[in-house]
Amino acid sequence: SIFINSNLFLSYFFLEQYREALPSINKILNMKTGNRIDIQSGIRIILLIIHYEMKNYDLLPYAAKSTERWLKKNKYEPKSFDRLLLDFFKNKISKISSVKEENEALTGLMSNFKKSNSGKDYSILVTAFDPVSWLESKIEKRPMLEILKEKNK
């Protein structure tokens, strides 16, 4: 079910076991979700994040363009966070050549995200793992799980 595979994905994601998270994401993508384009779009955005975490930087611009085409074909208007992330993976990731540049790009992404709709406009499934905490973990070079624990004390 979507619920079980989503929980599996989140468990692996929080434990930074991204390769293990892929099968759960792919199972959800291959499920019949009826007319739930919001779920499919969220999964596609999350898949981009997983590829980023796996350092598949060469793949990301193409995967982001493919995701955009899928969203357009299915008449789904990407949310603010989705658009920012798609732009980041499509146009910025390939230009990053150092850890410093990556950190600056992620900080810019975080700033733009917070400016857009108070940082609350993102796909239904992206909400499950808190995109602000994910970006903070990348910028601060700390495990996301650690950041989530601190926020939930």
Side-chain angles (χ1 to χ4, degrees):
S1 80
I2 289 175
F3 179 75
I4 291 169
N5 283 294
S6 295
N7 283 331
L8 275 172
F9 150 73
L10 288 170
S11 298
Y12 287 126
F13 191 90
F14 291 144
L15 295 172
E16 299 179 1
Q17 296 177 357
Y18 307 112
R19 288 208 185 285
E20 289 79 5
L22 273 177
S24 298
I25 289 293
N26 287 326
K27 281 181 185 174
I28 296 171
L29 275 177
N30 293 322
M31 284 180 183
K32 303 286 184 222
T33 57
N35 293 328
R36 295 299 308 263
I37 299 298
D38 57 336
I39 291 174
Q40 287 286 323
S41 65
I43 290 297
R44 289 170 192 279
I45 297 298
I46 289 169
L47 189 56
L48 294 173
I49 293 170
I50 290 176
H51 282 296
Y52 173 80
E53 291 290 3
M54 292 172 53
K55 302 192 183 332
N56 293 335
Y57 302 138
D58 292 340
L59 170 74
L60 280 168
Y62 306 103
K65 286 176 189 172
S66 175
T67 299
E68 276 186 330
R69 280 191 304 272
W70 186 91
L71 293 171
K72 188 173 185 175
K73 176 183 165 197
N74 287 281
K75 297 175 177 68
Y76 186 80
E77 181 62 34
K79 306 294 184 192
S80 297
F81 178 71
D82 304 343
R83 282 192 303 274
L84 290 168
L85 204 58
L86 285 165
D87 180 62
F88 178 76
F89 291 141
K90 212 171 63 170
N91 301 314
K92 295 189 175 60
I93 197 76
S94 61
K95 296 175 181 145
I96 295 172
S97 60
S98 70
V99 173
K100 182 182 179 204
E101 286 178 7
E102 181 180 20
N103 203 44
E104 288 170 357
L106 289 167
T107 301
L109 178 61
M110 171 76 93
S111 175
N112 290 336
F113 177 54
K114 285 184 174 179
K115 285 180 202 169
S116 69
N117 295 315
S118 304
K120 301 272 188 236
D121 187 25
Y122 36 81
S123 299
I124 188 170
L125 290 178
V126 175
T127 62
F129 69 86
D130 184 1
V132 172
S133 294
W134 174 72
L135 284 169
E136 287 173 357
S137 77
K138 299 292 105 194
I139 293 165
E140 297 174 17
K141 309 284 188 253
R142 294 173 41 209
M144 185 178 170
L145 198 52
E146 184 179 301
I147 289 171
L148 289 170
K149 284 181 185 176
E150 286 175 7
K151 285 184 175 182
N152 292 310
K153 280 186 178 178

